[in-house]
Amino acid sequence: MTDSVIQFSDLALNDSILSALDGMGFVSPTPIQAAAIPHLLAGKDALGKAQTGTGKTAAFSLPLLNKIDLGQRKPQAIVLAPTRELAIQVAAEVKNLGKNIAGLKVLEIYGGASIVDQMRALKNGAHIVVGTPGRVQDLINRDRLHLDEVHTFVLDEADEMLNMGFVDDVTEIMEHAPSSAQRVLFSATMPPMLKNIVERFLRDPETIDVAGKNHTVDKVEQQFWVVKGVEKDEAMSRLLETEETDASIVFVRTRQDTERLADWLSARGFKASALHGDIPQSLRERTVDHIKQGVIDILVATDVVARGLDVPRITHVFNYDIPFDVESYIHRIGRTGRAGRKGKAILLVRTNQLRMLRTIERVTKSSMEEIQLPHRDKVAEARLAKLGAELETEKEHKALEKFSELVEKLQESLELDAATLAAILLKRQQGKRPLFYIGEDPMIEAIERDKQRRKERRDRDGGRDGARREGGRSFNTQDWDTYQLQVGREQGVQVKDIVGALANELGLTKGSIGAIKLAQGETYVQLPKAMSSETAGKLQKLRIRQKQVDAVVCDFNDFREPRRDGGRRDGGRRDGGRRDGGYRGNRDGNREGGYRGNREGGRDGNREGGYRGNREGGRDGNREGGRRDGERRFDRNRGGDHRGNHRGERGHGRGNRSEG
């Protein structure tokens, strides 16, 4: 499809929206925008089949913003996105497009954030809600999100939403939609399950099909490196020095990161500058001119400011942070490969982000090559070769004779030979970018660790691994440190909360999390001895259930599982009433006198007198009295903000403890 020849000013958009578009430098709509906006402004249901990266967010956002009633407090539009990252991204773009609409309130809701804060924000009023299906449905069930005044429902990246298992949530939400509401669905593909939703909920929809192949990816060689061994700053340095670059853009997520990384690179001799939305327009224009003229070679930028940036000398795009969605990725790599030239895009990805990488490959119908970072000796060789090339150009310089005289004077005054003096000057020249290294490269160590882990995994899977614990991991304290986290059952924490926080916040894989022992006020967990300083720093700031965990290394090693029959390991537990070191209870085993019973072992011991019995919901102890009034619904996106319900269930169980 050819580019649209109409302009935004030709569409029936109000002045505040047009002024925002003009301020962002957008004049003409993309094909999907030109095709969709007139239908959506007319209130028709629409089915948009659009390749990601075609501008579909603005295609549905602009009509939404055009018909918002600022005097109405209840939500008027619901936008569903498959991930919290995409929900944040979409909400940010809607806010940006509506920045000239005074009083506009756009609220993003998703799991992993405080549901209490989100309920408070809804109570205060929101015009547009952008959220993930699980959290949206949860708030509907709690009667905190009301849809009676919603005039538009949008399903963004609907195929991905269903691939992630949200079909039931999406169906329930659509069933709550007022019969008069407009339904809009955008998807890159149309699987059978999605067709069922279209046939059931969309009424005579307008079909907008601009799903042709996006040619951006054809012109760009794509590679990725899985973060390991060294921190990302060091990785960026190695890539920038060994790749044959002219100019580059390094994409990060936040304004703070643009400035921090640009400063870090500049301190190591790179000609780098930050570019983000808070920089005054005049300075942004000057920065872009500088990279065009060769004054700087590296832009460290956020997504928004780099959209539309056209600098022919940009040969490389580095994704320091993986983007929230595929559309942003395509926009990023489109900054290279301009004017018919080939470009290269390299993505730094953590192991827990590989799923997003595969989504990018699937949607763009492309394949990325995994690469390894060059070892630092190779980096030193590249630096020396570059220095040699620079010195080569100076061999015939007419001022060398004067400098030769200075060398002779320095040799005399310092009593040095020429070779020693040259070595001193060379050492000063290298600055913070050494021409050789001493000691082992952490990248080599990381690769060896990976090989060792794979070997151990193969040995385990083949049954050659002696003693194994439940779950398949052996106890090997040589590779692990045990950390004590200052959260436990008293805070309502479960093992899945611990694993989820370590995976999502620290980027640890399942194989990098060892044994876990959950106690009353603390938790013990095995983590690799060879954690990077970046990961260790994140561990010190980790919060679980809104509580700082204050992780410290300890010598705890009793990760054995308790016996399921409630008995002591020596066979005497049921009469003794408590496990080794049992918390309180009646210490001589009196079943009816225990204040809290055995907190961890209350399933069998102290069944009648357990004040709270089994803290996790009374699966065995207090089976009927401690049951919930209604099963708590599983929410894929929730971050554990169900403590209010948990306390309520506890109180309910207390009133019926004699029935346990």
Side-chain angles (χ1 to χ4, degrees), residues 5 30 54 59 110 125 212 326 332 338 430 445 457 591 595 653:
V5 295
T30 65
T54 53
Y110 48 85
V326 185
R332 286 181 178 188
R338 315 290 285 186
Q430 73 174 357
E445 296 175 5
R457 193 176 298 118
R591 291 199 179 203
Y595 170 57

Side-chain angles (χ1 to χ4, degrees), residues 462-507:
R464 297 185 292 274
D465 190 29
R468 296 167 53 155
R469 71 175 174 88
E470 186 180 356
R473 290 191 200 115
S474 60
F475 290 105
N476 181 1
T477 56
Q478 294 178 353
D479 298 330
W480 306 91
D481 280 329
T482 299
Y483 287 82
Q484 181 179 342
L485 313 182
Q486 308 307 316
V487 292
R489 285 197 172 95
E490 283 185 348
Q491 290 76 34
V493 171
Q494 300 179 39
V495 171
K496 65 182 181 182
D497 298 323
I498 305 293
V499 174
L502 295 173
N504 295 331
E505 303 302 327
L506 273 63

Side-chain angles (χ1 to χ4, degrees), residues 536-565:
K538 290 180 179 178
L539 177 60
Q540 296 306 313
K541 300 175 183 177
L542 185 65
R543 299 177 70 87
I544 299 176
R545 291 289 183 95
Q546 314 303 320
K547 179 174 172 56
Q548 188 88 21
V549 302
D550 297 326
V552 293
V553 177
C554 65
D555 57 2
F556 180 88
N557 61 6
D558 185 11
F559 287 100
R560 291 171 293 177
E561 291 291 327
R563 289 182 54 178
R564 291 292 182 184
D565 61 3

Side-chain angles (χ1 to χ4, degrees), residues 32 46-52 56 155-163 170 183-202 205-212 362-363 365:
I32 185 68
L47 171 59
K49 189 177 180 185
Q51 182 71 39
T52 303
K56 57 185 173 60
L155 272 64
D156 189 18
E157 296 200 10
D159 53 349
E160 184 66 16
M161 216 176 303
L162 301 190
N163 286 340
V170 170
R183 280 95 162 180
V184 181
L185 187 151
F186 280 94
S187 181
T189 61
M190 196 58 57
M193 193 182 303
L194 190 56
K195 289 181 180 177
N196 294 336
I197 288 181
V198 171
E199 293 171 359
R200 181 175 175 185
F201 294 110
L202 271 64
E206 295 289 342
T207 301
I208 304 145
D209 190 350
V210 290
R362 177 176 58 80
V363 174
K365 297 181 175 63

Side-chain angles (χ1 to χ4, degrees), residues 46 160 237 254 318 464 510 578 583:
E160 184 66 16
S237 175
T254 68
F318 296 96
R464 297 185 292 274
K510 184 178 179 181
R578 50 191 288 268
Y583 180 67

